[in-house]
Each structure stands twice: as C-alpha cells, then as structure tokens.
Amino acid sequence: MLIDAELAAVATAFRTLGDLILAAGGSLHPGLCLHQQGSALWASVDTQALAENPDTPLIFVPESLLIPVAGLNWDLQDRLEPSSGLDTLSPLQRQALEQMLALYALTEKLANIQPLIPALALPRDSALATLLQSGHPRWAPKGRSHVMATFLFSRLFVYNSSAGAVTEDSPLQERDVLMPLTDVLNHHPAGAGYKIRQGGLWVKAKPCGNGNECFARYGYKDAMHLLIHYGY
C-alpha cells in the first residue's frame, strides 16, 4: 500500500488502518494508494498493478473489523469521540475507530461538512431551505447540535451479516457500521458497489474517468438525496 499524504499523522493513521485490516484477515490491492490533500481523502490504484490483479478487491474489510455504531453513544456536539459504548467493541475495532476519528480530526471533517450539507448550512427561514423541503418533504434544516449526527449518517453502511437464505428462523441481520479505510472512497455513479462476500465488506478497484482514482457508488440515489445528505 502506497501513501501520498501532506500530513505525517495522516500517513500514520492510513498505515495503521491498513495493518489492522491485514491483521484481521482482510486484504488490500497491491496497487492501492491512499491520498490526503487538505481536507480531501481519496484512493487510487496503479494501472499496471490493476492489469496484473484485475479480480483482487481494492479493499476487503472482514466483518470482525467493521464498527457497529448501535452500542456507541455520542454527545452530538463538535466532538469526534464517543461519550460511552467503547466497551461494546473488540480491541481491534476500538483501534480502528481511534484511527478513523484521528483521520477525521486531522482533516477537519466536522468543520468542512457544515457549509456543504444543506441541513446544516441553510437557516430555518431561508427561501432556499423552503424550496428544498417542498421537493423533499422529509428533509428539515438542523442546528449545530446535529453536526456530528449528520456527519456520522454520511459515513454509515448498512451491513447484512445473515448467511444463506432469509427465513423466519434465520432473519435478515442488518446493522449500521463504520467502514475502516473503505470510507475514503468518493462517490461516482459508475463507481464500484459495496459487496458483502467472504465474510466481510468487499469493494472492487474501479477507476472512473480519465485518472486512476477509485470510486464507490453510494447506492442508487437521486441527485436531491445526494445533495441533502452528502453535500454534492
């Protein structure tokens, strides 16, 4: 794994997360490169390595390292730190969460998300907010106390850990999780979909456009949904 980061602390967090994924039985594409510039994080893949390893996932995170958020409690202020619930995580999950939160803090994600997400950026009496709400009735402007909740929502993946057919005796097991390292992938409508296979979260190395940046597809969402919840 190659790292191209302006901040040494970001490079350390990237490297630690990669090591944790490998220690948990996951894998990283041999051509994977992680980038940081200012507040931006993204991933790319070397074209020659991709040609030599076309079926190797860009990142494979075992289920044991995905971080369930149901047991975590947050004060929902501008703090990248759970107020309680860390004891619900395994030691590896706690280490991964610590590194993810360090990445978010180092790149000032909370400060940068506020002017981008309409729910946080628009005042309650804004004509534009009213217009947005008319096209998306379930949306509503939010105050600063919702910054952390809004940020977390934009990072969650609904993971289904149920193996085999869904039956009355073996129901669908879904939970919201944070995805170590995988969440640096930006969205593109032609990006790779997140796959649940081999006991974990699997994402294909799929560059889009003219460069070698790899993208994920955050589900099939309309433009209004992406604007409201992700800011673009």
Side-chain angles (χ1 to χ4, degrees):
M1 180 178 73
L2 299 177
I3 296 173
D4 169 32
E6 292 180 337
L7 299 176
V10 168
T12 298
F14 276 154
R15 192 170 296 108
T16 302
L17 284 168
D19 290 343
L20 288 170
I21 288 173
L22 296 177
S27 66
L28 304 171
H29 196 283
L32 171 65
C33 184
L34 300 172
H35 305 264
Q36 176 260 326
Q37 184 175 27
S39 64
L41 302 172
W42 72 97
S44 67
V45 66
D46 178 75
T47 52
Q48 182 175 342
L50 180 58
E52 294 171 353
N53 303 272
D55 299 321
T56 300
L58 183 69
I59 303 172
F60 169 62
V61 183
E63 182 178 344
S64 61
L65 198 60
L66 296 173
I67 302 167
V69 298
L72 298 175
N73 298 303
W74 309 81
D75 60 14
L76 299 185
Q77 300 300 317
D78 297 347
R79 292 180 56 200
L80 282 164
E81 182 181 351
S83 56
S84 63
L86 287 174
D87 57 340
T88 64
L89 304 179
S90 71
L92 280 179
Q93 287 172 330
R94 286 198 295 272
Q95 291 179 61
L97 179 61
E98 178 182 346
Q99 296 303 316
M100 292 177 71
L101 296 181
L103 275 177
Y104 301 153
L106 288 164
T107 52
E108 300 181 340
K109 288 297 185 183
L110 288 187
N112 283 287
I113 198 176
Q114 293 183 53
L116 298 177
I117 304 296
L120 302 174
L122 298 177
R124 292 183 180 275
D125 59 350
S126 166
L128 183 54
T130 302
L131 182 62
L132 275 176
Q133 196 164 19
S134 68
H136 204 284
R138 298 178 65 180
W139 174 83
K142 298 178 174 65
R144 282 182 57 82
S145 63
H146 290 78
V147 172
M148 188 62 193
T150 302
F151 175 73
L152 282 175
F153 176 84
S154 71
R155 299 280 162 172
L156 294 179
F157 175 76
V158 181
Y159 183 81
N160 166 23
S161 59
S162 178
V166 177
T167 66
E168 184 176 349
D169 295 328
S170 178
L172 190 67
Q173 301 294 321
E174 290 187 341
R175 52 186 174 147
D176 291 335
V177 298
L178 293 170
M179 307 172 289
L181 215 53
T182 312
D183 74 341
V184 305
L185 295 173
N186 291 313
H187 170 77
H188 192 287
Y194 295 114
K195 304 293 184 182
I196 300 171
R197 60 176 62 170
Q198 301 172 342
L201 183 66
W202 191 97
V203 61
K204 183 180 180 181
K206 188 176 183 182
C208 297
N210 297 324
N212 60 351
E213 179 178 355
C214 291
F215 293 87
R217 184 180 65 248
Y218 298 174
Y220 293 100
K221 305 180 188 303
D222 61 34
M224 180 67 79
H225 181 98
L226 290 171
L227 171 64
I228 287 173
H229 296 293
Y230 298 93
Y232 55 81

